[in-house]
Amino acid sequence: MTKTLYHVDAFANKLFSGNPAAVVPLTAWLNEAVMQKLAFENNLSETAFICEANNKEYDFEIRWFTPQVEINLCGHATLASAFVVFNYLHFDKPEISFNSQSGILKVTKEDGLIKMNFPSWEPDEFNDPPVNLKDALGGIDIKGIYKNRDLLVQLADEDAVQNCVPDFSLIRNTGYKIIITAPGKSVDFVSRFFAPTAGVDEDPVTGLAHSQLIPFWSKKLDKTNLIALQLSKRGGTIYCEQKGDRVIMAGNCVFYMKGEFEIED
């Protein structure tokens, strides 16, 4: 059985920036164990599998796998999947609807950007953090700790986020995925995202984290439209909007390569 794989840099304006994702279009689902092995083989933070839908409620089903586990929501691989659908799968509608474990995700193409409509997951103050959290983040000073799906740790400023030297072994031992964030110098807020519990020490640009960051900073800054920068080595810009119980995340993608792989039927 021969399948096609696309490799796309998401939240990127130029090649070798943003967050790389693999996208595998399907007409029928592969075995879950096979999809996990393919994600491990790709060794990217996420491999997205999109399968054509056989109903009128949505266009595709989508699933995301890290090298180690399946996850319930992923932003950058959804952005990359939409890029592939819009540009390579002869899709002629102005909006894509993906059915996922986190509900229906709608994606449009507007003003030169791909815009994703995602759930808004506002984090609450968290009073029971791991005892070694500060050590896990290199001894850095912490201004506040919040939690939704992940731990969100507020730091003093952009330099603190940029200069954080995490201990990934200690982060893994906490059992949490961790977002660190602070106000930005030239953007509204900056962040980094650490997920060694999912096989990804530091994710380059993380849409899922922004489902939590956008409502957090929208409330703190009293703004609904924000620009965010993820301060990984590759870096990436996310254009954000808070809309009630949803958030809009928008960005660009850059095509890297298209290939084929063969697996047994």
Side-chain angles (χ1 to χ4, degrees):
M1 182 191 306
T2 301
K3 297 294 180 184
T4 302
L5 179 146
Y6 296 85
H7 187 143
V8 175
D9 288 344
F11 294 115
N13 294 308
K14 60 182 180 180
L15 199 58
F16 310 128
S17 63
N19 199 349
V23 180
V24 180
L26 301 169
T27 54
W29 284 114
L30 301 174
N31 179 276
E32 185 174 305
V34 171
M35 291 191 287
Q36 185 63 72
K37 289 177 180 178
L38 288 167
F40 180 80
E41 185 76 10
N42 291 333
N43 198 31
L44 298 171
S45 57
E46 264 85 25
T47 296
F49 297 87
I50 56 174
C51 188
E52 295 178 10
N54 295 316
N55 61 64
K56 296 181 179 180
E57 296 179 11
Y58 46 83
D59 301 301
F60 296 89
E61 295 182 5
I62 187 168
R63 297 174 70 176
W64 310 274
F65 290 79
T66 78
Q68 291 188 6
V69 296
E70 182 176 8
I71 58 173
N72 66 342
L73 187 63
C74 176
H76 85 277
T78 303
L79 197 78
S81 297
F83 176 82
V84 169
V85 171
F86 278 131
N87 292 282
Y88 297 99
L89 300 189
H90 309 292
F91 187 81
D92 59 2
K93 299 178 185 178
E95 179 181 87
I96 308 167
S97 57
F98 292 107
N99 188 38
S100 76
Q101 291 184 29
S102 296
I104 299 293
L105 307 174
K106 295 184 178 181
V107 186
T108 58
K109 189 165 54 173
E110 302 174 37
D111 304 323
L113 297 172
I114 298 174
K115 295 186 175 183
M116 304 185 297
N117 186 313
F118 267 45
S120 176
W121 291 347
E122 184 177 351
D124 297 316
E125 286 193 53
F126 188 53
N127 298 316
D128 189 26
V131 293
N132 62 345
L133 179 61
K134 184 173 181 177
D135 290 338
L137 295 175
I140 206 159
D141 288 334
I142 293 172
K143 287 195 64 177
I145 303 170
Y146 305 82
K147 183 177 181 294
N148 190 289
R149 197 206 72 160
D150 308 315
L151 284 190
L152 188 154
V153 180
Q154 184 181 358
L155 305 183
D157 52 34
E158 180 172 324
D159 290 337
V161 175
Q162 183 75 75
N163 297 328
C164 176
V165 182
D167 184 322
F168 294 120
S169 294
L170 288 180
I171 290 178
R172 187 179 297 108
N173 290 340
T174 70
Y176 288 103
K177 304 175 184 68
I178 296 176
I179 307 162
I180 60 172
T181 187
K185 296 176 182 177
S186 60
V187 297
D188 292 296
F189 65 89
V190 298
S191 67
R192 292 170 67 189
F193 183 73
F194 311 125
T197 56
V200 181
D201 284 348
E202 179 167 2
D203 196 38
V205 192
T206 316
L208 173 58
H210 286 77
S211 274
Q212 300 160 85
L213 285 161
I214 294 169
F216 178 80
W217 284 111
S218 178
K219 179 177 286 189
K220 280 192 171 292
L221 300 176
D222 194 24
K223 296 176 68 175
T224 56
N225 290 278
L226 308 103
I227 300 177
L229 179 65
Q230 194 152 330
L231 295 174
S232 64
K233 289 182 179 179
R234 294 175 64 101
T237 301
I238 304 97
Y239 301 92
C240 311
E241 183 180 359
Q242 179 69 38
K243 296 187 71 173
D245 63 352
R246 308 293 293 180
V247 296
I248 304 298
M249 290 179 276
N252 295 300
C253 289
V254 179
F255 173 81
Y256 174 53
M257 71 174 184
K258 173 184 176 181
E260 292 183 340
F261 61 89
E262 292 188 6
I263 55 176
E264 295 182 0
D265 293 347

